[in-house]
Amino acid sequence: MVEIAPFAPFFVAAALALLLRGWPRGLLLVLLPLAGLANLWLLGEGSFGTWSVLDFQLLLFRADRLSLLFGYLFHVAALIAIIYSLHVRDTLQQVASLLYAGSALGAVFAGDLLTLFIFWELLALTSVFLVWARRSGRAYMAGLRYFTLHILSGLLLLGGIILHGQAHGSLAFGHMGLEQNGFAGVGSWMIFLAFGIKCAFPFVHNWLTDAYPESTPTGTVFLSAFTTKVAVYALARAYPGTELLVYIGATMACFPIFYAVIENDLRRVLAYSLINQLGFMVVGIGIGTSLAINGAVAHAFNDVIFKGLLFMSMGAVLKMTGRINGSELGGLYKTMPKTTVLCIIGAASISAFPLFSGFVSKSMVMSAAIGNGHDWVWLILLFASAGVFHHAGIKIPYFAFFAHDSGLRAEEPPVNMLLAMSIAAALCLAVGIYPQALYQLLPYETAYTPYDVTHVLTQLQLLFFSALAFVWLNLRRLYPPELPSVNLDVEWLYRRLLPEAARGLVAGVFRLDARLRGAALKGIGYLMETVAGHHKPDGIMARSWLTGSMAAGVVVLLGIYLALGFAA
């Protein structure tokens, strides 16, 4: 059997898409992930594609249960996103999306750090075009900020790889940890930070909430599936059991809730919600037990599907109405009932309702947390679960389709968009009803049972009281209203503070330059006036000088010249 690396079909199809038009291109796009999935299934676990650089042996393809799960996930995500975007007639978006998906596959099957770095950079390069494809000034600036942070991630990764290679004499991509010393320790920290940027760690997360809402309706669906999940895979591969990740993940699960509740742009609400869900995955990787790792990667699988479904439903709203702010929407359930139902399925899944996909993976992480002595982390995750129900489970469908009647009467989106959303909704229900199908693909064997009395009752009570709190706050007019505003968090530092400081510095330099120039011109003018005054009829240069005085002056000048020459 010919061994074909999973990324290769996507790169070849991207080249063919430049030449094809119309239905042949659409057929190619749909068949591609199906053929790729079959190829990956036949490859199974194993490795191939060894190549040498200097004294290092590199590996193009290395598959085990961890990487295979993400490989299957990325093919499914690509299929759904491609079907969703079939109505688009934009070569830039279609080619960039294929290269982007292929780069994600190349990264998760990379057997060494240098190969990982190549696909890591391709992820940044190809994904930014999905932001710029919207062709607006806001999208262009957001894409520049997005690209800058991802280039920083690549530089950190490359520096860490160099130090790691020097310390260990190998570039194999495996467990690293942060406990190493010397150059190895510095390299490991640099790689950890590089992964953290792409995983949207706190303080370096704003590329996600900034760029994703500015992308095209279809581009955002692709973006939500690949970049952050590649980072989750990389952390699970290199840093499982790193306790620092528990605290980072708990922070990620909590802080986006407060921004999502007050945010008006519903796609930005989902971007904050994506960080919230990443927090659960990072906590699981930090705990590092078999159950926790299984829970983290299972939740990554489910998140791609239900978060993709929510982004698709909001993308459909944006396409059909031209609006995405909660303050401008409402009442759409009357003319978009199918989209409304599909959105509610996605909302129920992310909220971890029993019989929906989020329940069978999120509970694994929370069980691992409380089972390993992280009681306060479990409480934080419980609070985060209630928060995500508020901002994604209720706010998104309520303000988009219900709430006040905005007077909008939009039609249902194109059939291909409804089909893609229906596939994602079916997967949300299938995984929630029969989780063993997903559990069989997890990295470790598990006998976990999500549907026991404790898990079900705890989650139902949480959801019930969260819904009750939302209704009470809304009736009392205490719930933050949807206002046409722009909310900044950490990005205020580089979108407001730094530009203002730079403008102030430049203005100060120009003021100092003007003062120095004015003082210099004033001094020159004074000197010119003084010299001119000496040449006036009554000036010193107009006087009659005795010959002896002139001779004495010449002797003095000659003496000074000789003294200087002697000193030199």
Side-chain angles (χ1 to χ4, degrees):
M1 183 185 72
V2 178
E3 295 175 325
I4 302 174
F7 73 88
F10 284 83
F11 282 18
V12 172
L16 293 175
L18 291 171
L19 306 175
L20 299 175
R21 294 291 185 273
W23 70 264
R25 179 192 285 182
L27 181 62
L28 171 69
L29 294 177
V30 172
L31 292 179
L32 171 64
L34 295 174
L37 191 60
N39 173 60
L40 183 60
W41 185 268
L42 292 174
L43 287 174
E45 296 186 49
S47 61
F48 63 85
T50 302
W51 55 300
S52 299
V53 173
L54 299 178
D55 296 328
F56 297 104
Q57 292 295 316
L58 308 181
L59 188 60
L60 188 64
F61 177 86
R62 184 268 314 276
D64 56 15
R65 290 177 66 90
L66 177 62
S67 56
L68 281 174
L69 175 70
F70 281 88
Y72 297 144
L73 169 62
F74 288 168
H75 280 90
V76 172
L79 176 63
I80 294 173
I82 286 171
I83 294 174
Y84 183 77
S85 60
L86 280 177
H87 64 281
V88 175
R89 296 294 182 264
D90 185 349
T91 301
L92 172 65
Q93 284 194 73
Q94 291 173 327
V95 172
S97 61
L98 294 180
L99 294 174
Y100 179 41
S103 300
L105 287 166
V108 299
F109 289 110
D112 63 273
L113 291 170
L114 185 57
T115 304
L116 174 69
F117 169 75
I118 293 172
F119 289 109
W120 197 262
E121 291 298 89
L122 285 174
L123 273 173
L125 181 61
T126 55
S127 59
V128 73
F129 285 100
L130 295 176
V131 181
W132 287 337
R134 197 172 183 185
R135 297 174 175 87
S136 68
R138 288 168 58 95
Y140 177 72
M141 295 306 299
L144 283 180
R145 293 188 290 268
Y146 171 94
F147 196 50
T148 299
L149 275 174
H150 282 269
I151 289 298
L152 174 61
S153 173
L155 291 174
L156 286 170
L157 180 58
L158 180 59
I161 290 171
I162 293 172
L163 294 177
H164 179 85
Q166 289 178 340
H168 296 282
S170 170
L171 294 181
F173 182 26
H175 184 273
M176 296 180 191
L178 298 175
E179 302 80 15
Q180 305 173 61
N181 298 317
F183 285 124
V186 175
S188 182
W189 271 101
M190 292 177 71
I191 295 172
F192 180 79
L193 292 175
F195 293 169
I197 291 175
K198 265 190 167 53
C199 198
F201 279 6
F203 301 107
V204 289
H205 65 276
N206 286 114
W207 60 265
L208 196 158
T209 57
D210 183 17
Y212 282 21
E214 298 302 332
S215 180
T216 63
T218 55
T220 307
V221 178
F222 280 96
L223 290 170
S224 67
F226 297 113
T227 296
T228 53
K229 303 313 178 292
V230 170
V232 168
Y233 163 79
L235 288 171
R237 172 72 65 189
Y239 299 97
T242 300
E243 188 174 4
L244 178 61
L245 288 174
V246 176
Y247 311 121
I248 292 174
T251 305
M252 292 173 66
C254 279
F255 85 86
I257 294 171
F258 303 99
Y259 291 102
V261 167
I262 64 173
E263 181 57 57
N264 189 29
D265 186 322
L266 297 184
R267 291 205 299 173
R268 187 165 277 110
V269 172
L270 290 176
Y272 277 113
S273 178
L274 178 54
I275 300 173
N276 162 271
Q277 297 302 300
L278 288 169
F280 284 86
M281 304 170 209
V282 172
V283 167
I285 295 170
I287 295 172
T289 62
S290 298
L291 177 61
I293 297 293
N294 277 347
V297 298
H299 202 55
F301 188 100
N302 289 333
D303 181 73
V304 168
I305 307 302
F306 60 62
K307 189 59 61 59
L309 176 54
L310 289 170
F311 270 117
M312 284 189 286
S313 62
M314 291 302 100
V317 169
L318 177 59
K319 174 176 173 56
M320 303 311 296
T321 67
R323 304 177 188 181
I324 197 61
N325 289 338
S327 58
E328 301 173 347
L329 297 173
L332 291 176
Y333 74 94
K334 299 175 182 178
T335 54
M336 301 179 69
K338 296 176 183 177
T339 305
T340 303
V341 171
L342 293 169
C343 180
I344 290 174
I345 292 175
S349 298
I350 196 174
S351 303
F353 270 88
L355 300 180
F356 291 86
S357 57
F359 178 80
V360 304
S361 55
K362 187 180 292 184
S363 60
M364 296 176 76
V365 176
M366 297 183 70
S367 296
I370 200 168
N372 287 272
H374 295 286
D375 295 356
W376 67 270
V377 174
W378 180 82
L379 290 173
I380 288 176
L381 296 181
L382 198 65
F383 168 77
S385 297
V388 75
F389 179 48
H390 265 259
H391 69 254
I394 299 178
K395 178 174 180 172
I396 291 293
Y398 178 72
F399 285 105
F401 300 102
F402 302 99
H404 63 281
D405 191 337
S406 62
L408 296 173
R409 294 295 180 264
E411 297 179 354
E412 294 282 10
V415 174
N416 63 290
M417 299 178 79
L418 288 173
L419 176 60
M421 289 189 283
S422 299
I423 294 172
L427 287 172
C428 289
L429 289 167
V431 172
I433 294 171
Y434 184 63
Q436 295 305 321
L438 174 60
Y439 290 170
Q440 292 173 3
L441 301 175
L442 297 177
Y444 303 101
E445 297 294 334
T446 180
Y448 180 76
T449 303
Y451 290 109
D452 59 27
V453 175
T454 301
H455 288 143
V456 173
L457 288 181
T458 300
Q459 189 64 16
L460 287 177
Q461 290 177 58
L462 177 71
L463 295 171
F464 173 77
F465 284 108
S466 295
L468 189 63
F470 177 85
V471 172
W472 184 82
L473 290 171
N474 213 31
L475 291 175
R476 301 287 295 181
R477 300 186 183 278
L478 296 175
Y479 194 83
E482 300 301 293
L483 300 175
S485 60
V486 176
N487 301 309
L488 302 179
D489 51 88
V490 176
E491 62 185 324
W492 177 84
L493 295 173
Y494 60 83
R495 293 188 64 180
R496 292 290 187 269
L497 180 62
L498 288 182
E500 289 295 331
R503 281 191 287 267
L505 178 62
V506 171
V509 169
F510 276 106
R511 285 195 298 268
L512 178 61
D513 176 72
R515 291 179 181 177
L516 292 176
R517 286 172 181 269
L521 290 173
K522 185 177 180 180
I524 292 172
Y526 177 77
L527 177 62
M528 294 298 291
E529 289 179 3
T530 302
V531 172
H534 289 324
H535 287 80
K536 291 180 180 180
D538 57 345
I540 190 172
M541 300 302 293
R543 298 176 185 173
S544 298
W545 291 76
L546 297 175
T547 305
S549 298
M550 294 293 292
V554 171
V555 170
V556 171
L557 290 173
L558 180 61
I560 294 172
Y561 178 77
L562 291 173
L564 292 173
F566 178 77

